[in-house]
Structures are given as structure tokens and as C-alpha cells.
Amino acid sequence: MSATTKSPTASDSRTASGSRTPSKAARLLGDRRLPVAVTALLFLLMYLGGLTRYQNFGFTEPQVFLNLFIDNGYLLVAAVGVTFVILSGGIDLSVGSVIGFTTMFTAWLVERQGLPLLVVIPMALAVGAFGGFLMGYVIHNFEIQPFIVTLAGLFLFRGLCLVISKESISISDSSVSSMAERQVSLGIGFLSLGAIISLVVLAVAFYVLHYTRFGRRVYAVGGNEQSALLMGLPQGGTKIAVYTVSGFCSALAGLLFTLYIQSGDPLHATGMELDAIAAVVIGGTLLTGGSGYVLGTLFGVLVLGLIKSLIQFEGTLSSWWTKIATGVLLCAFILIQRFMTTRRKT
Amino acid sequence: MAEPRPVLEMAGIVKEFPGVRALSDVDFRLFPGEIHALMGENGAGKSTLIKVLTGVHPLDGGTITLDGRSVRITSPLQAQQAGISTVYQEVNLCPNLSVAENIFIGREPTRMGRIQWKQLRRQAAELVERLGLDIDVGAPLSSYPLAVQQLVAIVRSLGTGTSTGGGEGPGTKVLILDEPTSSLDRDEVLQLFALMRRLKDEGVAILFVSHFLDQIYEVCDRMTVLRNGTLVGEHMVRDLDQVGLVQLMLGKAMGQLDELHDQQLHSHAGETLVRAEGLGRTGGIAPFDLEIRKGEVIGLAGLLGSGRTELARLLFGADQPDSGKVSIEGRQVSMSAPNDAIGAGVAFCSENRKSEGLVPDLTVRENIILALQASRGWTRPIPVAQRDELVAKYIKALDIRPANPEARVGQLSGGNQQKVLLARWLITQPKLLILDEPTRGIDIGAKAEIQKLVVSLSEDGMSVLYIAAELEEVLRLSHTIGVLRDRRLVAQIPNGPEITTTRILETIASGEHQ
């Protein structure tokens, strides 16, 4: 298609009266919620598949479902942060390193410096948010591609891990383990504190993206940054804020990861930014920005988590199959997105 | 008759750019409830005047008075707050958001920081309805054609003056429309005009810039004419006819346009150059047969989106045909990529000269030489002397201004950019030249020159496929007129004295040629 001015919509829907309602089919295909529905459906099918195949191996326990949230809470929080960034048309590669750094930072302060956990938590969150803010500041003020700036962030935070310690630090502090073991019973099973926090983060993110001016600006900047500027929106501030949110979420994910694994290690969460990005994309958010839902990200994370569970239940497969399945899914979803966006244009 | 007080008065405006005096001592005034056309050739200073008014460029001299108070406007945002809104040729909205959101984003109604979606949609729907538009505000902006998006942009700009938008009347006092019609078709333009008249009745002062003289005469009340950065005069539209206006704009008589009428149309019985049989592409254009003879100019007429560009793109191999075949000079060619077409002697001047044709950061010389170098391959550079000679020849032949091969193309005016693009293809000496809207958005003088060039190229034996939105243009230049309707080539009419724009319009409307 050469230009939007010549798109068939321009001629097909033209009528003398000036009424221009797109056809129902076109609307359905163009509906931005469709990818989320597709991912949710995929999750449901995979889950049903698991139910039938492993029904005699305990897959039918509701706790198996709840474990998806417990085992992937940190990934969900990180992916929510990445959703903000990708919606705004950017990318954040520093997520995994910030998570790794937070585990080291927390373990070091609690174990080696003897600081109480409740003091360490706000410090870790502040460091992560400040790191995100700095990257956003550089991206906006020096007009550098987010890919490069956050790549620098990736190396920087991973390097800082090693500055703290080259060895992993296991946490024996009782406040940490008691917090990690805290469970909330739901009748049919239980959720860990980390899982609850991740769901709260998801709900807050949904509210922010859909019911605040800031959230709508994220979509506007991702839709067309130049237009957002000319519409008088504070596009620079929005971009900086988005990376700050992502940095904050990464640090929070790091704290949840620390609780989950009860140690700090310079190599923790290596490459997790890619899992987070994959979850966001599988959840139906367009990498070009401006289109997607944080709820889709939840399903993206659940699908990735379910793949892991299924492979564990299968028993004979090596864990590398998780990566292969993720790769295949990611590829399929990007193709679906491509198909949908070209459909929307024509 | 006592005139009311102008809502906007600009006096003695001076604007200088390094080496150029873009505006010298220009006066301009705008009355409430009128549509005022700002006229002038490209480079006359229209855009500069608008940019000064909207705070994009700082003033170098002169005063701006808004509503009787002297104002200093230093940024677009400040202009908006003062009640001056601008809608540009390109739609500056977010296609991924809904219409309602596009109207209100940045000033959504909120309660305790929470966006009140119901209220927002209701207000948007009211605003749209009050302006007599039929738009579903809940639908994403991208589901609407460009014309409607443009209307939405206007609706948005009206709301910016008030705190919550809608409510009691627009806060906008001055609405600037900078070439809003250049990519709209006739129906869409009418819709825009209806909206403009409605706003005018509500007392908004509208500044309208358009290259289409007919549109100016249809909708405007008053006009100000600029030439070379100076004020030529302010006239009521009804007191000045089109010929008079053009003479004011050009500063010379219309002779060069009249010449064209005498030049056109001598009989052409050249042999067949291109023959397309059953060529078509699903979703692009229905299969068509087309024969282009040597030295023939074929004009394509049809509404925007009727398949004109799609037909041309098939002939150039830019899109893959699903059916049919093309032969050039009797030999069948597979048009699977533009490279094949270029090899066979077909050249294509795209309508989007900025995005698809020229490289704005390269010089005039580099842009001209691009296609020729590409056809030779990078292993055989063109000798410097030969290159400079060729470039100089075409700069002269097409009268590209400034005649400086080192100038960066991005700094040239629209008409001159178009000429550079033409030069690039002419230098490869094509057998068939496809021109897609070559005169869009360029001034009337450059338009005439490009049209004359087409006539002389055809006399030299080059075939031309000419696409233009203005029927008069197609009619004046073409030997044969292909009429398109709903992505179908419905008729091929040999041009002659009895063919008029009305006949063509009837064919477009009815889909058949009597």
C-alpha cells in the first residue's frame, strides 16, 4: 500500500451522506482486543490439554493452576513494566539485569550489612526506579534509541552485581523466610505473598493505563509520537515516566524473585528481559507501540508458565523444550500480529 | 459599510532567515465569521506567515493584535491557549486511539484523577453532532478514511480553547487550515466545507490555504495575496476573478498557461509500446487491457481510491499482478519487481515525493543521479565530468531553482522537488514515464512548466501515463483518457474537441461511456 490516503477504506466506505461506519467483519478483525482473546483461548486450550493428558498425575488439582501465579509472579511484575515501555513504542533490555542486581543488593544489605528487610525494600525499589528514570532521561533528552540505552543499562546493572560480590549470597534472615512462606488460603488452594503482590501490580497497571491521563498518553506516544507532541501532550515526560515505571517494576520483580529463591546471585535472572518481552508480545501487544493490553500480558505470562508446567508433567522432556516452545509461540504470534496489522490497513 | 473590528490583526510583519527575507512588512487581518484565503505561489511566504502566527517561528518585526490586545506568541501551545488553532495537511492525531479520545486527549474530564469515560464519550458525541458530523466517536480513528480524520482534527482543535471542551461554543477564535484538502476527494471536500461554513456562522475566523483556486472561490469570502514575501493586496473574493488572482500571484499575465491549449493534440499513430492484457490484482484493481503507443499521453481520471495508483503500480512492477501479462515492444516482460520495469524502460514518479521518491538529505545532484547509477550498477561509476554535465543539463532544462547542484533537496520548494524527481527519471531516458499526481501541492507556475514538459516529451516520442486529480489537467494533456471507477478501468476515451470534463465526470459517475 503506498499511502494511507489511497487505502480502500477511503473509497469503500465513502458514501454521499457522509456516514462512514466500517463493516462488522472489518471491525472484528480490527478490534485491538482480539489478540488478547486469542492468547486467552490458547491458554485455555493448553490447560484443557493438560487436564486430559495428565489427569491421573495430579494436574487436576486447582493448586497446579495457582502455582502458575506463585512460580511466575516476578515475571508478571517485570512483564507489566515492559508492557508500559512497549506500549509507548520503546523497549527495555535492562529488566533482567535490574532483577539480578536487586537480588544481590537486597541479599547483601540484609545478610552482610544487617539492615532490616523493611528498610531494604524501599531502597531497592528506589534504586530500580532511579535507574529507569536515568535511562528514560537519556533516551528522551539525547534522542538515542531505547535499544542502545537500555542495552547499556543491561551491562551496567549486571556489572554492578559483580561489584557487590562475585559469589552468590544466600539469605538466612528469618524475616525474609517468614515473608516468603506467608500464604493466603483461597479455599481451593493458596497463593504466596509474591503472587498476590503481582496481581495487585497488574490491577494497578490496568487502572493507570485505562483510567488516568498518564496511561492514555502512553498509548498516544506509542501511536504516533510526533502527533502526541503536536497535540500538546508532554511526550518527553511520558517517555521518561514509562522507563521509570519499568525500572520500578523490575526492582519489585527482583524483590519477589529474592523472596522466591531466597538468595542473591550475580547471575540471577540472566536473559529474563527476553522472557518478559516474549510474554508481552504473546499477550498481543504490538512491538511498534500503541496497541495492546496489560491483561494480555497476564495471559502471555500464564502461557509461558504453563509450557514449563506441562513439560515438567511430561517428565521425559528436557527443560530446554521450554525455550523451543516459547520460540515457536513467539514466532507464531508475531506472524499473527503482522497479519492483523496489514489487515487493518487494507 | 462599517467594517466590524478584526479579531486578528498582523501589522508590518518581518521575518528573516539566514540570507533570505521571507516576509517583509506584511499586513494581514482576519474578521470574525469569515473564511479568508491566503494566496500565493510556493515560496511566497504563506507558510512562514502561518508559522509566525502560530509561534513556530519568532517574529523579527511587526505586531500581532488578537481581540484588540497586543500579543506575543512564542510557542504553538501558547497560540492554542490564546485561541489560535491550526490543522495541518498531515493529520496529527493518534490512529490507535478512539475518535473521542483523540478529541479530548490531554484534557479528558477526570474525577480524582480517574478519567470519566462516559462523560468523555458523551461530550465528544455532542460536539460531533453539534457540528453536523456523522462519526461514531467510539470507533478507533484508524477505521476512518483520511478525510474524516481531518474533520476530527478540526473538532479537536476547536475544543482546545475551553477547559473541558464542548459545552458552550468553541473557545477557538481563529482556525487555521493549512492545505487540508490536498488529499481529499470531492465528496470529502464538500463535507469539510460544510463544517467550515458552520463554524463561520458561529463566529470563528477561518484562515484557509489551498492550491485549488476553485475551492477558494467556492468557500472563501476574502483573500490576501502574497508574492515573494510581500503583501500584494487584500480583496473580497467576489471582486476578483480567477484570471485576475493568478496574475496577482504570479505578477505576470496568463500567457504561459494559454500556450498549452494550442500545443496539445496532434494525431498519434505510433507503434505499440506497452500492451497489458488482463492485468489485475485482487484488492488492487480488476483485470484490464491497456495499450500505450509510442509518444502517447494516457491520462487516468477517477476519484481518489478508484485504482489509479494501483494500475500504475502494476505496470511498474511495484505490486505483483495476480493475472494477466505485460509486453513491451512486443516482448513479454515479467514485472515481478520495479527493477524489471526499469530495465524495460519504465519510470515511475510516485505521488509521495517525500516518502517514496527523494532523499531529502542528499543534494540535488545526488538525487538526480540515483536512478541512472542504479541502472548501471555500482561497479561502473559515472565519470565525474559526464555526471556534472548531465545534471547541469537537466537543472537547466527543467528550470530547477536554485540552480545549484549542491543544494540539499529537503530545502527546495515542493515544485522544485518534483522537478528533481522528474529529472532523475528523465536522465535514464525511459520509454514510458508514469507520473502519479506530479502537480499535487505545487504552485501554478511550476504546474504549467511540468505540463509543458509532458507535451514536449511526448512530441519526442516518449509515452506518458499521467495521473492527476484535476480533470482539466488530464483533459488538456492526454491523447487518450482512461476512466477508473471502483477499482476498474471502465472506459478508454480518445480525446477530442467534443470531450469535456462534464463528459468524463458522467463516465466516472455512471461507470460507462456513451
Side-chain angles (χ1 to χ4, degrees), chain B residues 403-442:
Chain B
N404 171 12
E406 297 297 333
R408 288 206 298 120
V409 160
Q411 291 168 340
L412 267 53
S413 72
N416 282 308
Q417 289 188 358
Q418 191 65 50
K419 288 184 198 165
V420 171
L421 193 55
L422 259 173
R424 171 195 296 175
W425 290 113
L426 291 179
I427 216 168
T428 62
Q429 303 189 316
K431 298 183 186 114
L432 170 65
L433 178 65
I434 302 173
L435 296 171
D436 193 357
E437 302 257 17
T439 57
R440 179 163 110 190
I442 66 176

Side-chain angles (χ1 to χ4, degrees), chain B residues 333-375:
Chain B
V333 233
S334 87
M335 288 283 188
S336 54
N339 229 348
D340 303 329
I342 295 171
V346 182
F348 182 81
C349 270
S350 143
E351 60 176 330
N352 303 319
R353 55 177 173 263
K354 289 211 178 83
S355 60
E356 290 181 19
L358 292 169
V359 189
D361 286 331
L362 293 184
T363 64
V364 169
R365 171 169 48 226
E366 287 162 332
N367 268 291
I368 291 180
I369 220 78
L370 259 179
L372 183 61
Q373 184 63 66
S375 69

Side-chain angles (χ1 to χ4, degrees), chain A residues 137-344:
Chain A
Y137 183 84
V138 171
I139 288 166
H140 169 61
N141 283 53
F142 302 100
E143 292 179 16
I144 304 176
Q145 284 88 341
F147 186 97
I148 290 300
V149 176
T150 57
L151 185 65
L154 182 154
F155 286 115
L156 185 76
F157 276 103
R158 192 58 75 186
L160 285 176
C161 290
L162 294 160
V163 171
I164 293 174
S165 165
K166 291 190 186 62
E167 313 279 310
S168 79
I169 305 171
S170 66
I171 301 175
S172 50
D173 188 275
S174 63
S175 63
V176 174
S177 51
S178 77
M179 199 181 264
E181 281 154 17
R182 192 169 298 167
Q183 291 173 352
V184 179
S185 173
L186 293 177
I188 50 164
F190 64 87
L191 283 178
S192 67
L193 185 66
I196 300 279
I197 290 175
S198 70
L199 289 174
V200 170
V201 167
L202 180 77
V204 170
F206 180 82
Y207 180 85
V208 167
L209 281 175
H210 294 283
Y211 289 98
T212 66
R213 289 188 176 180
F214 166 66
R216 302 320 292 169
R217 286 206 300 268
V218 172
Y219 278 90
V221 168
N224 188 332
E225 197 177 329
Q226 194 57 30
S227 289
L229 181 68
L230 288 170
M231 285 162 104
L233 304 177
Q235 139 270 12
T238 306
K239 271 165 78 181
I240 295 176
V242 154
Y243 288 95
T244 312
V245 166
S246 180
F248 177 86
C249 285
S250 303
L252 183 57
L255 286 169
L256 298 186
F257 195 69
T258 315
L259 280 188
Y260 184 70
I261 224 151
Q262 300 203 23
S263 74
D265 189 302
L267 292 178
H268 270 336
T270 309
M272 196 180 286
E273 62 279 351
L274 303 180
D275 289 335
I277 294 170
V280 172
V281 172
I282 290 175
T285 301
L286 289 189
L287 272 175
T288 44
S291 175
Y293 294 90
V294 76
L295 207 59
T297 301
L298 170 67
F299 285 112
V301 170
L302 288 180
V303 164
L304 290 186
L306 190 56
I307 293 174
K308 258 191 279 177
S309 297
L310 289 177
I311 282 165
Q312 277 163 11
F313 270 88
E314 189 64 39
T316 53
L317 287 174
S318 132
S319 67
W320 283 108
W321 280 96
T322 318
K323 303 271 175 205
I324 292 168
T326 309
V328 170
L329 265 188
L330 197 57
C331 199
F333 272 78
I334 284 174
L335 287 176
I336 292 174
Q337 284 189 2
R338 185 75 211 158
F339 176 72
M340 283 190 56
T341 40
T342 42
R343 253 316 166 78
R344 203 176 291 152

Side-chain angles (χ1 to χ4, degrees), chain B residues 54-75:
Chain B
T54 52
V56 176
H57 293 325
L59 269 183
D60 290 333
T63 57
I64 301 179
T65 315
L66 188 66
D67 254 351
R69 278 180 307 148
S70 173
V71 286
R72 272 200 85 73
I73 297 168
T74 51
S75 75

Side-chain angles (χ1 to χ4, degrees), chain B residues 26-80:
Chain B
V26 172
D27 299 335
F28 178 75
R29 42 186 205 153
L30 199 54
F31 293 91
E34 73 166 6
I35 302 179
H36 192 129
L38 187 57
M39 303 299 300
E41 283 195 283
N42 283 353
K46 290 177 309 212
S47 312
T48 313
L49 189 69
I50 288 176
K51 281 179 176 156
V52 164
L53 179 57
T54 52
V56 176
H57 293 325
L59 269 183
D60 290 333
T63 57
I64 301 179
T65 315
L66 188 66
D67 254 351
R69 278 180 307 148
S70 173
V71 286
R72 272 200 85 73
I73 297 168
T74 51
S75 75
L77 191 64
Q78 201 195 343
Q80 268 181 24

